[in-house]
Amino acid sequence: MRVIAILSVLCSLLLGCDTGGGGPGVLATGRAPDFTLTLTTGEKVTKRDFAGRPLVLVFMAEWCPCSNESAPVFKEAYERYHPRGVEFLLIGFQDSRSKFRRFVERERFPFPAGYDEGDAIGASYGVNAPPTTFFIGPDGAIRNAYYGKIDDINVLVTWIEQLLDEPPAGAGGTGGA
């Protein structure tokens, strides 16, 4: 049993540092699944709390080198895009609650973060390993999904700008891909 646990952790480490792409099982389009998440502050949020606004939903883990390398880029993007109405939410995935909390405190994320109890939210989105990022339009539809480290602000900016270029839900137009 111990060997299986060790192999599982090693596979997660290897998968979590992919250079990027869709990732097997990741929902790349369609309606973003609903969720309820308890934040590190003790408050609860749901996907509906972000209705009508673009949302960057990020699954990360403290143990994952790619999550650690991506953290500064997401903080920079938040500072740039939150004033323009883009919401960010960090979800701890494949991690212990205490390690994820330390990660959030150490990195001083300026946006809400919560722990995915039993990795249930990640499973509903098809997440296999961190870091995985979803770009959700104001209408609640997934516009893009990316599995892997994002350490170039220009890559993140491209996807966020696409969310902002879409007409608001109900305003007509075709929206994103």
Side-chain angles (χ1 to χ4, degrees):
M1 193 61 134
R2 179 177 249 174
V3 171
I4 293 173
I6 291 170
L7 287 174
S8 176
V9 169
L10 287 174
C11 285
S12 292
L13 284 170
L14 292 173
L15 288 174
C17 271
D18 189 14
T19 57
V26 170
L27 293 177
T29 61
R31 193 129 198 91
D34 289 329
F35 61 82
T36 299
L37 179 69
T38 302
L39 301 177
T40 56
T41 60
E43 300 170 73
K44 288 191 185 285
V45 295
T46 68
K47 188 189 95 177
R48 288 180 293 283
D49 293 330
F50 301 98
R53 293 171 284 171
L55 173 63
V56 178
L57 186 65
V58 188
F59 291 84
M60 288 186 175
E62 181 275 338
W63 56 263
C64 174
C66 293
S67 292
N68 285 276
E69 291 171 25
S70 297
V73 174
F74 281 93
K75 292 187 297 188
E76 180 180 345
Y78 175 84
E79 296 300 331
R80 188 183 297 186
Y81 287 99
H82 188 256
R84 294 178 59 190
V86 178
E87 299 292 338
F88 287 68
L89 181 62
L90 175 61
I91 299 181
F93 181 76
Q94 291 184 350
D95 213 344
S96 73
R97 182 183 304 274
S98 61
K99 286 183 180 179
F100 180 69
R101 180 179 290 279
R102 282 195 304 271
F103 174 58
V104 169
E105 290 170 358
R106 182 187 74 233
E107 291 295 333
R108 296 183 180 151
F109 286 100
F111 47 89
Y115 177 71
D116 187 2
E117 189 69 47
D119 297 332
I121 298 169
S124 73
Y125 279 77
V127 177
N128 293 313
T132 301
T133 307
F134 293 87
F135 300 87
I136 301 170
D139 62 352
I142 297 171
R143 299 292 184 243
N144 286 302
Y146 189 81
Y147 164 66
K149 137 177 105 170
I150 302 175
D151 59 359
D152 180 350
I153 188 68
N154 296 314
V155 171
L156 195 51
V157 161
T158 298
W159 289 317
I160 294 172
E161 286 290 337
Q162 289 173 359
L163 290 176
L164 290 172
D165 286 341
E166 294 180 8
T174 58

